[in-house]
Amino acid sequence: MLNRNEILQTIAMIDQQHLDVRTITMGISLLDCAHPDVKKCCDRIYDKIVRRAGQLVRVGTEIEAEFGIPIVNKRISVTPIALVAAGCDTENYLPFAEALDRAAQEVGVNFLGGFSALVHKGYTLSDRRLIASIPEVLAKTKLVCSSVNVATTRAGINMDAVAEMGRVIKQTAALTADSGGFGCAKLVVFANAVEDNPFMAGAFHGTGEPECVVNVGVSGPGVVSHALKACQGEPFDVVAETIKRTAFKVTRMGQLVAQEASQRLGVPFGIVDLSLAPTPAVGDSVADILELMGLESVGAPGTTAALALLNDAVKKGGVMASSHVGGLSGAFIPVSEDEGMIRAALNGALCIEKLEAMTCVCSVGLDMIAVPGDVSAETISAIIADEAAIGVVNNKTTAVRIIPAPGKVVGDVVEFGGLLGSAPVMPVRSYSSSDFIARGGRIPAPLHSLRN
């Protein structure tokens, strides 16, 4: 039972501390849409998404109005299209993406994820065709997001796929050069991708998921920041306990929205992803939380330790609030989407190498980072390989969402707008990794992967 003080606290979190439900994401299985004829397959995809998700936006808006809880995004994730399209006799996968895009626009969602392939141990013919089509797809569709899983702890790292994704990212940037390489903001390269992630651009509906499911992603960096202001000078035990209690309240709110949406849509409730997802708004920053722990700037020595504490405390608080915590759940550190990260990058306090170290202890990886447009495909592939290695060895999800901004150099800023914010172009070390990437093959799984 909620008491009066808890209700007032929640109202204050929403009104003053940027608390929101970042997304309601409906996952939809498209496995039954497969058909040898491309047009029939695309028609089935469109019809099923519109039928299943037709009320998603309306229900989200109703819940938002009735409960007074902002729901920023309504999204859809679907079965990886490389699986759905595998039986079609075509090399061009753009029609599948166009069907997804039309359906997403018809139902009114913000984004749709699932133009995806899972190639951590090798390629199918369909995987190759999908990956080859990614640059054109991201240039010609508005709402479709893409992801490729290139590594797992059990399989190791597919270095052929890593090399290919470097080239794909460069091609995507070139085809969307008029928008600063925006297509790359809709593309994620994963290690250990999860099947129930509600956050874009990496969401897809895994093969172990139900026919249709509702997943909710909550957010609350501003709420945690506000709570920590009362802990100035306190030991880290008190800091951790404060974050845990705050994460508990945020997750409870997310579960309420998820259960309500599930009931109204007649779709099973999947998970609450309790990730702290920042925005470019002042006061809604993960970097601010780390600095409240005593760092002059995020990026200073101690940043990784502070982030580890934050990530752990968020998870501990969340799992006490809900028995269905999933997705990624922790703290995101996207550069362009976090006002404090942007500030630190512009000041030179934050570099890619420090961000890579931070990804060892946070939810995902190198996220929404702009680099000079002339950075080579091999260098991008090597960055992906480094991040995949962190995920594989530590048995966690890691990812790379990097934008080689065409025509931009270090010190420039790429404007994306909205929740994607603005990305300062960050320097990349100029030493070559070409021979390393050219080896190909597979980096074997670590010894601790043999756990049967």
Side-chain angles (χ1 to χ4, degrees):
M1 179 70 72
L2 291 174
N3 62 40
R4 182 173 179 272
N5 286 337
E6 288 175 325
I7 293 171
L8 292 175
Q9 287 173 7
T10 303
I11 292 171
M13 289 177 183
I14 294 169
D15 286 347
Q16 302 166 26
Q17 300 161 29
H18 303 283
L19 177 61
D20 58 50
V21 169
R22 187 54 48 87
T23 178
I24 294 178
T25 300
M26 177 179 283
I28 303 173
S29 173
L30 299 181
L31 290 174
D32 59 348
C33 297
H35 193 283
D37 182 88
V38 175
K39 184 179 185 308
K40 289 183 178 178
C41 185
C42 290
D43 288 345
R44 287 182 174 186
I45 288 170
Y46 175 88
D47 291 343
K48 186 167 187 180
I49 292 172
V50 171
R51 182 175 74 253
R52 284 289 190 171
Q55 302 302 314
L56 177 62
V57 172
R58 178 186 63 78
V59 166
T61 303
E62 287 177 356
I63 294 172
E64 189 174 14
E66 289 179 29
F67 290 85
I69 299 171
I71 301 174
V72 180
N73 294 293
K74 293 84 176 176
R75 297 165 171 168
I76 296 169
S77 63
V78 299
T79 306
I81 292 300
L83 300 177
V84 182
C88 288
D89 185 20
T90 180
E91 295 185 5
N92 180 13
Y93 277 23
L94 178 61
F96 301 107
E98 290 175 334
L100 295 173
D101 204 44
R102 289 196 307 274
Q105 292 185 59
E106 174 64 25
V107 301
V109 294
N110 306 95
F111 282 112
L112 183 150
F115 194 80
S116 306
L118 312 176
V119 297
H120 39 275
K121 206 170 182 179
Y123 295 97
T124 66
L125 178 60
S126 182
D127 293 329
R128 291 186 183 279
R129 289 171 172 172
L130 182 136
I131 291 172
S133 69
I134 287 174
E136 183 182 19
V137 162
L138 296 181
K140 291 186 176 180
T141 60
K142 294 180 179 180
L143 305 179
V144 173
C145 295
S146 180
S147 61
V148 177
N149 193 67
V150 299
T152 67
T153 297
R154 295 303 297 266
I157 306 172
N158 182 347
M159 290 300 293
D160 293 322
V162 168
E164 180 66 17
M165 290 312 299
R167 295 189 288 270
V168 166
I169 289 169
K170 287 286 288 185
Q171 292 165 11
T172 302
L175 289 179
T176 57
D178 58 346
S179 57
F182 177 73
C184 297
K186 300 189 291 175
L187 173 59
V188 181
V189 185
F190 275 116
N192 290 320
V194 297
E195 296 190 329
D196 55 2
N197 167 25
F199 286 104
M200 298 298 166
F204 63 87
H205 187 70
T207 55
E209 292 289 296
E211 177 72 15
C212 191
V213 69
V214 170
N215 298 320
V216 166
V218 299
S219 182
V223 178
V224 175
S225 293
H226 179 82
L228 288 187
K229 288 176 181 176
C231 298
Q232 295 298 320
E234 297 286 351
F236 284 115
D237 313 74
V238 175
V239 172
E241 188 64 25
T242 301
I243 295 171
K244 281 167 54 181
R245 291 177 180 275
T246 306
F248 180 92
K249 296 174 185 176
V250 170
T251 307
R252 279 291 200 203
M253 181 204 70
Q255 178 156 299
L256 170 66
V257 170
Q259 290 174 333
E260 193 67 27
S262 169
Q263 180 180 358
R264 297 188 187 196
L265 291 166
V267 172
F269 160 42
I271 57 96
V272 177
D273 186 319
L274 49 97
S275 297
L276 295 182
T279 72
V282 175
D284 198 27
S285 163
V286 170
D288 287 351
I289 297 171
L290 304 180
E291 290 171 4
L292 280 166
M293 293 188 200
L295 301 170
E296 182 180 357
S297 171
V298 65
T303 297
T304 305
L307 183 58
L309 182 154
L310 173 64
N311 209 55
D312 180 66
V314 165
K315 290 182 178 181
K316 287 175 178 174
V319 297
M320 290 299 293
S322 173
S323 11
H324 295 287
V325 169
L328 300 167
S329 289
F332 289 174
I333 52 169
V335 174
S336 80
E337 299 172 17
D338 187 309
E339 183 269 338
M341 294 288 183
I342 295 170
R343 181 179 64 245
L346 289 172
N347 292 341
L350 195 61
C351 63
I352 290 179
E353 290 79 11
K354 185 59 177 178
L355 282 165
E356 182 182 300
M358 293 164 68
T359 64
C360 295
V361 299
C362 76
S363 279
V364 192
L366 296 173
D367 194 16
M368 287 302 293
I369 294 172
V371 297
D374 61 359
V375 168
S376 70
E378 292 79 9
T379 295
I380 292 172
S381 294
I383 292 171
I384 294 169
D386 284 342
E387 198 58 38
I390 290 172
V392 166
V393 171
N394 290 288
N395 196 27
K396 70 185 293 293
T397 302
T398 53
V400 172
R401 186 162 50 148
I402 191 168
I403 301 104
K408 301 293 185 180
V409 298
V410 174
D412 290 342
V413 175
V414 186
E415 297 286 347
F416 295 119
L419 288 177
L420 295 178
S422 59
V425 177
M426 302 179 72
V428 177
R429 295 193 182 274
S430 59
Y431 297 99
S432 175
S433 307
S434 298
D435 291 345
F436 175 76
I437 295 300
R439 289 179 179 271
R442 184 149 54 99
I443 293 180
L447 182 60
H448 64 255
S449 68
L450 301 176
R451 294 185 294 172
N452 286 339

